[in-house]
Amino acid sequence: MSSHPSKRRKLTEGGQSSDGAATSDVKIQKQFFKSAQSWNLEEDYENRPRKGKKKKEKKAADATKLPIRVAEGTWVTQEEEDAEIASDAEWLESEGEEAPEEEEAQPEPEAPKIPEREQIRRAQEEMAKIATQLNEDPEEHPGAFKALAKIGESDLLAIKKLAIVVQMTVYKDVIPGYRIRPASEDVAKEKLSKDVKRLRVYEQAMVTGYYQYIKTLAALAGGSIRDKSKQPISSIALTCACTLLNAVPHFNFRGELLKILIKKLSYRNIDKDFIKCRTALETLFHEDEDGQPAMEAISVLTKMMKARNYQVDESILNLFLHLRLLSEFSGKASRDTVEKQDDGSVKKPKQKKEFRTKRERKLLKEQKEAEKVMAHADAAVSYEERERMQSETLKMVFASYFRILKMRIPNLMGACLEGLARYSHLINQDFFGDLLEALKDLIRYSEKDANKEDESDDENKEEEEDEDDEHEFVRDTSREALLCTVTAFALLEGQDAHNARSDLHLDLSFFITHLFQSLLSLSVNPDLELGAQSLQLQNSVRRNNRINLQTTTVLLVKCLSGILLPPWNIRSVAPLRLAAFTKQLMSGSLQVPEKSAQALLGLLADVLHTHGRKISSLWNTEERKGDGTYKPLAATVEGSNPFASTVWEGELLRRHYCPKVRESVKELEKSIKSIK
């Protein structure tokens, strides 16, 4: 056999190329042996990672991967590539070089700051888009409520203001006419249709978003963010709360809205926000049909007043006069109990039973069941339920009035007494005795306080002159006494007064005697024709308040009318009482201003028209019935001995500077002459 010649490597030109290759191989070999001296094979083997399940799983995963094409153009699997990378790293470490690490993550460049105007414009567009979606089909976008709240988390105050206003408008439009119950676990396990499930998801998203929104309003209304602009964010939050309370009072979390408003009313600083919250509660009371919103509001209101020891503004107490139960409730109540009118006394005539076939009875039964279901669906509150809620509300109102009377809060006396007079027809007769005693105590203590104030004024005039600016309230004890007397007679007038006096043996002589003793001092009072505004009791005009505005003259005429012309038994007034008050009033007419003089003479004309024969002898000097002397400063009405005197004041009143007073006196004398 012939052997093939061996192939020889083709040499390049210039023989130095082979010598250069040989020398480079020698250098590499020397470097290899030099680095091998520092190797520690046992330690490298010990530090080598153990084979485990993770490695096997990784190999199995890599085996399933497709091969990749490397830079040389060949196809390799993922496992081969990892092994090659690992070997390269080990070789570099053996050479004393560090393996190339991944490049450190460089911080991302900060996004360019967007101008505030541009941020506001984008927020407006986004909120308009979300609001449009909720307006068109709210059930398809349950996450829109959360998106609106997220926009309101911006650091810009203008965006926060826009967000809470937009949310208020959205919730006012999408809130249904019924309360939404919280989703329970049993209901969640039920098999529901697709539409019902979608509706429930939407309702729960709306309730959750609404609750978070109300919490945001409470924080903003409390002044969590300082805002010195013309329209601060706290004022906007209060406006949103007031609007929602009046627009959707039936919906969930009504109590949270009430707390926001009443917290603002607890401050004595009266501003636009205060008036706004008070007006919202007045509207709520007027439009309350089922009684529950009013009961919750009164409950929170009375707790707030009690916590602040009734150091609140007078207009807060006047909110009680806007309740619908003042004209709708038919029972009687006190601070603890409520008596309902017994309607069973009037029995309806028994109707003749109508004959119906079995089919008609079945149809009638189905019809009643359908009406019952419809009434339940419409959330119609029964008459009994509304009456129960109004009863609870009335008990809280009377409890507050009675506590204020007992504590004798000066700035609340007018509102309290007028409130009791307005509610007189709803007061239980058993409660009368306690109220009258409280009114008597108030008159007694007002006199003592007045005497103490006079003594302190004489002793510390200089100190009080420095502190005049600090006092916000000026107390008028004579006005308080008149208010108590008016309230006492109004309470009696609001009931079946004749039966009430006979059953309870009510004695109003204390009020009559006190008024008789006060007539002369009232006639020289310089503030007789001034009301609450001028007396600085309360700035009623500024607060749009219509309560406790009567002048002292008006209160005096009301008291005298209740004593001399009682509506329950006008003919039962004793002649001695009529004569004593007539003589005092004629003497007082000489001192009072012209308008008060006209009012007193007009009252005397009515008294003469009704009781002319009993007191006509006072105008005739030849028909004196009494002996002794007249005592205008006597401690009792009977002890003044009025028939021992005559009405000589008429001669002076004929020459009064006011023409109307002169005419009133002439008319009075004409009526006396006409009495036979």
Side-chain angles (χ1 to χ4, degrees), residues 220-404:
L220 294 175
S224 60
I225 297 178
R226 293 185 178 180
D227 185 8
K228 296 183 179 180
S229 59
K230 293 183 179 179
Q231 193 172 12
I233 194 168
S234 59
S235 177
I236 297 174
L238 286 171
T239 303
C240 294
C242 294
T243 305
L244 287 174
L245 183 64
N246 291 330
V248 287
H250 62 278
F251 197 60
N252 303 43
F253 312 116
R254 176 178 55 221
E256 304 300 324
L257 290 173
L258 287 170
K259 288 178 183 177
I260 295 173
L261 270 63
I262 292 175
K263 183 180 179 182
K264 177 62 181 177
L265 294 178
S266 64
Y267 304 125
R268 299 189 67 178
N269 181 25
I270 297 179
D271 51 9
K272 293 181 180 179
D273 294 335
F274 182 96
I275 297 173
K276 192 187 305 175
C277 295
R278 188 187 65 198
T279 306
L281 285 179
E282 292 176 0
T283 306
L284 178 68
F285 293 158
H286 281 301
E287 298 177 355
D288 178 27
E289 295 182 356
D290 55 2
Q292 189 170 1
M295 185 181 70
E296 290 184 13
I298 293 297
S299 176
V300 179
L301 200 62
T302 52
K303 288 179 182 177
M304 180 272 291
M305 290 192 293
K306 188 175 180 181
R308 291 186 58 82
N309 202 22
Y310 296 94
Q311 298 300 319
V312 295
D313 186 70
E314 183 188 22
S315 60
I316 304 303
L317 197 62
N318 293 333
L319 287 173
F320 293 163
L321 303 180
H322 296 277
L323 292 169
R324 293 182 65 166
L325 63 89
L326 190 60
S327 58
E328 293 179 354
F329 191 66
S330 57
K332 304 284 185 182
S334 66
R335 54 184 173 175
D336 301 320
T337 59
V338 176
E339 293 180 0
K340 297 180 181 178
Q341 289 185 352
D342 187 10
D343 296 334
S345 58
V346 182
K347 296 184 178 180
K348 295 181 180 179
K350 194 173 182 180
Q351 296 180 355
K352 189 177 179 181
K353 192 173 182 180
E354 185 179 353
F355 174 76
R356 293 187 180 90
T357 62
K358 187 175 181 180
R359 185 178 180 182
E360 288 176 347
R361 289 197 299 271
K362 185 178 179 181
L363 290 174
L364 184 62
K365 186 178 179 181
E366 291 177 355
Q367 184 180 357
K368 288 182 178 179
E369 289 179 356
E371 290 176 355
K372 186 178 180 181
V373 172
M374 291 297 293
H376 183 70
D378 294 339
V381 180
S382 62
Y383 175 77
E384 291 79 9
E385 184 68 15
R386 184 181 67 175
E387 194 173 30
R388 183 187 67 81
M389 293 179 183
Q390 289 183 345
S391 301
E392 295 297 324
T393 306
L394 192 59
K395 284 195 292 186
M396 290 187 283
V397 169
F398 284 154
S400 298
Y401 279 146
F402 196 74
R403 286 196 194 101
I404 293 170

Side-chain angles (χ1 to χ4, degrees), residues 15 23 36 38 128 136 151 154 175 180 215 264 269 306 413-414 436 438 461 490 507 514 536 543 565:
T23 54
S38 61
E136 292 175 353
I151 295 174
S154 172
I175 283 177
I180 297 176
K215 287 176 65 176
K264 177 62 181 177
N269 181 25
K306 188 175 180 181
M413 280 297 100
L436 290 179
K461 282 185 179 180
D507 185 15
H514 182 270
Q536 299 177 5
R543 303 177 188 187
L565 301 170

Side-chain angles (χ1 to χ4, degrees), residues 418-482:
E418 184 155 352
L420 286 171
R422 295 275 190 94
Y423 279 97
S424 60
H425 63 287
L426 299 178
I427 295 178
N428 190 350
Q429 290 185 1
D430 298 335
F431 192 38
F432 261 52
D434 295 337
L435 276 179
L436 290 179
E437 287 300 322
L439 293 174
K440 291 177 184 178
D441 292 341
L442 183 61
I443 291 177
R444 295 190 190 103
Y445 282 107
S446 64
E447 291 178 351
K448 292 180 181 178
D449 293 342
N451 295 333
K452 289 180 181 179
E453 288 177 2
D454 293 339
E455 293 175 1
S456 61
D457 287 343
D458 296 336
E459 294 175 359
N460 305 318
K461 282 185 179 180
E462 296 180 358
E463 295 180 2
E464 289 194 353
E465 285 177 1
D466 297 336
E467 296 177 357
D468 277 344
D469 297 335
E470 299 178 2
H471 294 292
E472 297 180 358
F473 183 80
V474 179
R475 190 174 180 186
D476 189 355
T477 54
S478 61
R479 183 183 179 84
E480 286 183 10
L482 289 175

